[in-house]
Amino acid sequence: MILHGYWRSGTSYRTRIALNLKGLTYDQVGVDLRKGAQKSEAFLPINPQGLVPALEVDGAVLTQSPAILEWLEEAHPEPPLLPGDAIARAHVRAMAAMIACDIHPLNNLRVLKALRETFSADQAATDAWAARWITAGFEALEALIARHGDGWCYGAEPTLADCCLVPQIYSARRFNTPLDAFPHILAIEQKAADHPAFMAAHPDRQPDANLS
């Protein structure tokens, strides 16, 4: 498998976590979003949408991280990232969707670039924009984790929801979003910091990481 992604992309990050949790081996190809490589002649044939991640597997290219995570669960069911019960699976998928559909799209690079270029937003304004949507989403997630979690978002083992949450926490810290009101979320962040699959997926540890 070949994962085309960007070290600091939340969607690439969540995909790396899931691949690592499944114990799968994959190569990485960096796509530098800051330089517009996602729109290059080299990358658009891989993903015509010009977004990361894209996962090459068995002669196919999979795009959109929620679809990739669901494929991983179907093609490599052990260890499971969804509970066995149908209602529980729906809860996990809902928690993941709150991040992947309602939080992350509003603070990704495309949106922040539009805020800067179209509305002349400075760093403080873009941070405030991101924090507005992160905070609203985390308020709901905190309540759901308190209801369903037992160390992780749902139960005592990491699920697809945790694959999405941990990168969103990383983004929240980049945007200087206060997190003190979310003790359950912070506990998951700490737990992930000691988990090999999450540690290996961290942006700072990726081959294309540019920390400058």
Side-chain angles (χ1 to χ4, degrees), residues 157-177:
E157 300 295 335
T159 66
L160 296 184
D162 302 286
C163 294
C164 294
L165 176 60
V166 170
Q168 192 60 63
I169 299 170
Y170 174 84
S171 293
R173 295 202 177 279
R174 283 184 56 218
F175 297 123
N176 301 303
T177 304

Side-chain angles (χ1 to χ4, degrees), residues 115-189:
L115 289 173
R116 296 186 187 103
E117 293 179 352
T118 306
F119 301 104
S120 302
D122 60 12
Q123 188 62 51
T126 56
D127 283 358
W129 168 269
R132 171 181 179 179
W133 307 111
I134 293 170
T135 300
F138 276 13
E139 286 172 351
L141 280 165
E142 179 73 12
L144 290 173
I145 295 166
R147 184 181 305 169
H148 298 297
D150 183 17
W152 296 97
C153 284
Y154 195 101
E157 300 295 335
T159 66
L160 296 184
D162 302 286
C163 294
C164 294
L165 176 60
V166 170
Q168 192 60 63
I169 299 170
Y170 174 84
S171 293
R173 295 202 177 279
R174 283 184 56 218
F175 297 123
N176 301 303
T177 304
L179 299 177
D180 290 345
F182 310 118
H184 291 90
I185 289 174
L186 290 176
I188 291 172
E189 179 187 38

Side-chain angles (χ1 to χ4, degrees), residues 2-13 16 26-38 43 52-54 109 170 200-212:
I2 301 174
L3 177 64
H4 299 261
Y6 178 60
W7 64 284
R8 206 163 59 184
S9 154
T11 53
S12 300
Y13 189 177
R16 293 193 301 265
Y26 57 98
D27 295 323
Q28 292 197 64
V29 175
V31 181
D32 195 334
L33 303 187
R34 292 174 299 181
K35 296 180 179 178
Q38 70 275 25
F43 185 68
V52 295
L109 182 62
Y170 174 84
H202 193 280
D204 294 355
R205 297 181 177 222
Q206 303 319 302
D208 61 327
N210 181 351
L211 305 183
S212 62

Side-chain angles (χ1 to χ4, degrees), residues 19-50:
L19 285 162
N20 294 346
L21 285 169
K22 294 292 187 181
L24 299 172
T25 300
Y26 57 98
D27 295 323
Q28 292 197 64
V29 175
V31 181
D32 195 334
L33 303 187
R34 292 174 299 181
K35 296 180 179 178
Q38 70 275 25
K39 300 297 183 181
S40 69
E41 293 182 2
F43 185 68
L44 284 177
I46 297 171
N47 182 5
Q49 194 179 13

